[in-house]
Amino acid sequence: MYQVHPGRGIARHHFDRVVGHLTQALHAAGVQPALTAEIVARLLCRVRRRPHRDEHRRPSLG
């Protein structure tokens, strides 16, 4: 995701929302839960988990 959309401000939480909408749409379309789970799993495998600018933790003060 980060290589395909550099500099566009797309963060992990945006991707997660899209996956959530896709999951709901597949369910509404009557797609079998097992197939929906496989589709979602394949999408999530393609996302390299790395901290994005909105996911950085604040350093501790102590």
Side-chain angles (χ1 to χ4, degrees), residues 17-59:
R17 287 183 66 189
V18 169
V19 171
H21 291 303
L22 175 62
T23 302
Q24 291 173 358
L26 292 171
H27 175 73
V31 175
Q32 294 294 318
L35 181 55
T36 297
E38 182 179 341
I39 291 167
V40 169
R42 287 181 184 221
L43 288 172
L44 294 176
C45 285
R46 294 184 172 271
V47 176
R48 225 177 49 199
R49 182 71 173 137
R50 79 171 201 208
H52 217 280
R53 71 171 170 248
D54 63 340
E55 296 178 337
H56 291 282
R57 293 182 183 171
R58 292 179 184 223

